[in-house]
Amino acid sequence: MLADDMACNARNKYPAQVFNNENHKLNLYGDNVEVDYHGYEVTVENFLRVLTGRHEAAVPRSKRLLSDEGSHILLYMTGHGGDEFLKFQDSEELQSHDLADAVKQMKEKHRFKELLIMVDTCQAATLFSQLHSPGVLAIGSSMKGENSYSHHLDSDVGVSVVDRFTFYTLAFFEKLNMYDNASLSSLFTSYNPTLLMSTTYYRTDLYQRKLEEVSVTNFFGSVMETIHTDSAYRTTHSRKTSETKMPLQESVKHDERRQLINSNVQDQTSDTKIEDKQCPFTRRWNAFQDKLEKIERIDSLVNYGFIIMFPLLLIIMFPLLLISTWLLPTFVS
Amino acid sequence: MAILLSRRSNLLAVVVLLLCQLFLYATVSSSGSVLKQGGGEEFSEELLLKPFPDRKVLAHFHFQSRAPHSSSHGRHHHLFPKAIAQLVKKFRVKEMELSFTQGRWRYEQWGGFDPLSSNNAKPPGVELWAVFDVPQSLVDVYWRNLTHTLSGLFCASINFLESSTTYSAPELTFKPSFGNLRYGTLPREAVCTENLTPWLKLLPCRDKAGLSALMDRPSIYRGFYHSQRLRLTSSESGSDEVDSGIGLDQTLTVVLQPSSWRTGKTYSVETNIQPSWSISSIFGRNIPGKCVIAKSSNVYLQLDNGLVGELKNLERENAKYVANTFESEGFQSNHAFKISVTPDKVFEEVDNLHGKSTSVIYGFSVEKYSDSQPFDLGLTWKIPVVWSCQQAPLHASRFLMGSGNERGAIAISLEPTESSEGLPTSHIIDGRCELRVDIFQVVPWYIKVYFHTLQVFVDKQPRAMADVVDKIRVSPSKDKVSPGVMEMILKLPCGSKSAAFSLEFDKGFLHIDEYPPDANQGFDIPSALISFPSFNARMNFSEDEFLNNSPILSKFQHALQRHHHYMHSICIVFWIIAQCASEAC
């Protein structure tokens, strides 16, 4: 929900670009941004409708929060606020008990499993003071009676481009490696009140899990390790080269795999002992099955199988063809 | 006998087996061929570049997608965007046009007569009109649902058009539709990257390949005018038209200013010369080859007839440059300008009704370019050339009169431009020469217009309405229910120097919650639409068979009979007067 059109505003010296730093290195507006609610649609009513899911029938899916009882939701609010309210559009305000009621409705309708609310306004902590639904975590940039400040002014664009709380949140994430397992408690305790010029306050009384055990990717998007392949079926590229590229965190799985292989070997040795007592057919069948299980590259086997099948077919059909062509004239004559 | 029989059965079995194999191969190959064909869907992309006399450049992208009728193809689409096909089917849309525009089309400098400005000069904000194929009583319901779906699809507040205070049903001045047309605009809607993103996602190559890879967002939104438009036509199978099915035309029109520092010219010497530009200098990128799925991918450079006439005049004056004339084949090295790429085709307009010089279009095919050898077209000016684009027959402007918070008047003034001097003889009706002008205007309900105060002035003299107005259709506004619509068909005498209309209104009283959050900016009255049906914004070219495959050029040929000339929206400022009506205040 973006209330003002900053990027394509006529006063923006850099059209279609929104920066969060005066070095202008990162364009937050990007090339593929999509904004569901903008301009006059950003109202408290629409916000509460999105949270509770109580839309009119014609509202399209892209404007609904399609969450269910297993969803983790991140709700980030910033702007001007005060004691128990957040200002919307310079004409209305969202009050803390309205937010608490909406979250209560969400919980009753099973619209989330865990919810993280981050508020970056003046007296932010008061906005979630009325919450009482389980599974909710909230952090605000300042406590009652304190202001939240902007970080720096970009004299080229002419406005302050980022607030202090947001700036230090971004700095925390930029220090992380993509596969780091940082916990939420490390995020929440990373804020320095002297640098922020306000005291961050967070509520964990409604949240069952310990913050040290919850990783930040619980809410802030996760990264799956993907291995890029050149083609759908690989016959020559060995998996070993990709394994060496795996970072340290994956070494646990490596060991597990080795253990499995060891257990297979053990099974084999035990099998050989039983082998003598079995009849030859079952012995050969078990050996075949063991060989199948050991094959790591089943796709290559299938490929080979296909490749072998066609010549086989030809070989089988060829005598039949010969016979038919030889038989036919003799039969007719 | 038994041996013969067994041989026969053996033979039969072999024959059956062979036939089965043949059948299998046949089915596999046929299904493979169907998959390869793509089911008759087509996609083509084009880009038209045109220099303007005021040192700006127009870039007009046109993407055309066609899908045959869905009953023969189920729901599989290869190139055509599924979202649009579902929209057409669900809301029974026969025709629809949706445009997002920022900036104002400057008719005086950029022209108002050519097919490009007639079709692509749009009012600022969002404009949506749609014709439905449903009974008249259901059109409003379908319109509301369509606005919601489009707002989700294009990340815009088009859902505001659902309330009856924002849309209207024109009948006279728009296309004939028997009551199934609805028209609505949002003049204050901001257009930014979030509207372009889903628009680009409807293209098969997105913005990754082909001409759409040029769309550098900061360059587009830095322009003086940008308008993205989506035009849908759907026709039932079994109709007389050649192409039944769904047709989707997506165009993006951008007017950019090539920055002189990029081309490295010094300011003092070259002040009169138009800035030289190239695709890479105005967009910051080159064209990395065509979109592989596109049937055709072309770039055109148009020099309009004003410019061509001026170049020919300059040649005649400087007779010593006869060796490299404009008409000779050395298009690349001309005395006036230089193009960096040799054109593949040259189109010259023929049979221009207005007797002036003809425009020239250079065509470049992008097929032979690729990532390693990108396409970059540049135009370098050598001598200063000054020309003017062909204007619409009349120059229209609209303004507010009066002051204060209670009442005012809207005035429309029409003045002839120089192109109206030679009016074609077809305007002579019953011995009188007349110019037909259609005016369509919608005002919100809080501008309470008094239609009986409509006054007509021709040559600054008041005239009776019946003299000038041929037909008028008025739909008075209802408070908080519907806007005020006025449609007028005028017949102005040919020799008139000016015409003006004025209409008085009262400013309605608004509750505090009916004001937008930024009420100090005022309210925008949507743009009025002026058409000149008797003029053809049409260009004929000498080579016809190639042009039928090119969407832009075929649009030039079969252009709309009427020009649409949008007037910019007026902003009215309402002072907030909050009145306490009860003691509880």
Side-chain angles (χ1 to χ4, degrees), chain B residues 474-530:
Chain B
V474 153
S475 169
S477 59
K478 287 195 201 103
D479 276 6
K480 302 180 215 239
V481 171
S482 60
V485 182
M486 180 179 83
E487 292 182 87
M488 280 203 296
I489 296 182
L490 307 171
K491 296 270 166 69
L492 292 176
C494 284
S496 43
K497 295 276 182 310
S498 67
F501 303 86
S502 75
L503 202 52
E504 288 176 27
F505 66 86
D506 273 355
K507 293 188 189 178
F509 183 73
L510 289 172
H511 287 170
I512 190 81
D513 51 357
E514 283 168 345
Y515 284 89
D518 48 354
N520 54 315
Q521 284 198 21
F523 294 91
D524 284 313
I525 301 181
S527 298
L529 173 58
I530 298 204

Side-chain angles (χ1 to χ4, degrees), chain A residues 131-324:
Chain A
L131 286 175
H132 45 266
S133 313
V136 181
L137 200 54
I139 178 165
S141 60
S142 51
M143 299 183 65
K144 183 172 157 111
E146 287 179 347
N147 291 335
S148 292
Y149 297 95
S150 63
H151 189 260
H152 63 266
L153 169 75
D154 182 346
S155 46
D156 196 12
V157 173
V159 290
S160 305
V161 285
V162 66
D163 290 339
R164 285 179 184 258
F165 178 72
T166 310
F167 182 85
Y168 289 110
T169 311
L170 287 172
F172 175 85
F173 281 105
E174 272 160 29
K175 282 195 214 110
L176 292 182
N177 184 328
M178 205 157 66
Y179 302 106
D180 273 346
N181 220 1
S183 68
L184 273 182
S185 73
S186 61
L187 168 64
F188 287 359
T189 50
S190 69
Y191 298 110
N192 183 345
T194 332
L195 289 175
L196 277 180
M197 291 160 69
S198 59
T199 323
T200 52
Y201 171 75
Y202 57 95
R203 274 183 85 150
T204 54
D205 54 325
L206 298 167
Y207 195 65
Q208 274 81 20
R209 293 162 66 182
K210 286 208 171 74
L211 280 188
E212 292 80 18
E213 294 160 13
V214 180
S215 78
V216 287
T217 54
N218 210 27
F219 294 105
F220 284 95
S222 63
V223 180
M224 309 257 210
E225 193 215 340
T226 52
I227 303 171
H228 182 77
T229 61
D230 293 321
S231 62
Y233 292 100
R234 274 180 300 138
T235 51
T236 52
H237 181 84
S238 68
R239 265 197 206 165
K240 281 180 193 159
T241 52
S242 59
E243 276 172 8
T244 51
K245 285 179 198 156
M246 281 199 302
L248 289 167
Q249 276 74 21
E250 300 303 312
S251 58
V252 174
K253 286 188 196 159
H254 214 359
D255 290 332
E256 282 173 346
R257 202 175 284 148
R258 272 193 230 116
Q259 282 165 5
L260 280 171
I261 293 166
N262 287 336
S263 63
N264 273 345
V265 168
Q266 278 169 3
D267 286 342
Q268 242 193 349
T269 48
S270 61
D271 275 346
T272 48
K273 286 173 198 163
I274 310 167
E275 225 175 45
D276 304 322
K277 294 175 191 169
Q278 285 172 340
C279 66
F281 175 73
T282 44
R283 202 188 322 144
R284 280 196 210 107
W285 185 251
N286 285 341
F288 182 61
Q289 273 190 330
D290 288 336
K291 275 196 191 140
L292 267 181
E293 272 166 44
K294 274 193 213 156
I295 291 172
E296 285 183 321
R297 296 184 220 113
I298 294 189
D299 48 3
S300 58
L301 174 70
V302 172
N303 279 350
Y304 287 134
F306 268 122
I307 293 164
I308 292 167
M309 195 175 82
F310 281 114
L312 263 177
L313 258 178
L314 274 173
I315 292 168
I316 292 171
M317 292 306 297
F318 190 63
L320 279 177
L321 274 169
L322 265 181
I323 292 167
S324 63

Side-chain angles (χ1 to χ4, degrees), chain B residues 212-230:
Chain B
S212 43
L214 270 186
M215 292 187 190
D216 178 42
R217 313 294 191 260
S219 305
I220 293 177
Y221 292 106
R222 192 178 289 132
F224 285 79
Y225 171 88
H226 62 88
S227 167
Q228 70 188 65
R229 195 164 66 98
L230 190 118

Side-chain angles (χ1 to χ4, degrees), chain B residues 377-392:
Chain B
L377 172 67
L379 179 66
T380 318
W381 293 96
K382 293 185 193 165
I383 54 171
V385 185
V386 175
W387 77 98
S388 64
C389 291
Q390 195 172 9
Q391 306 278 310

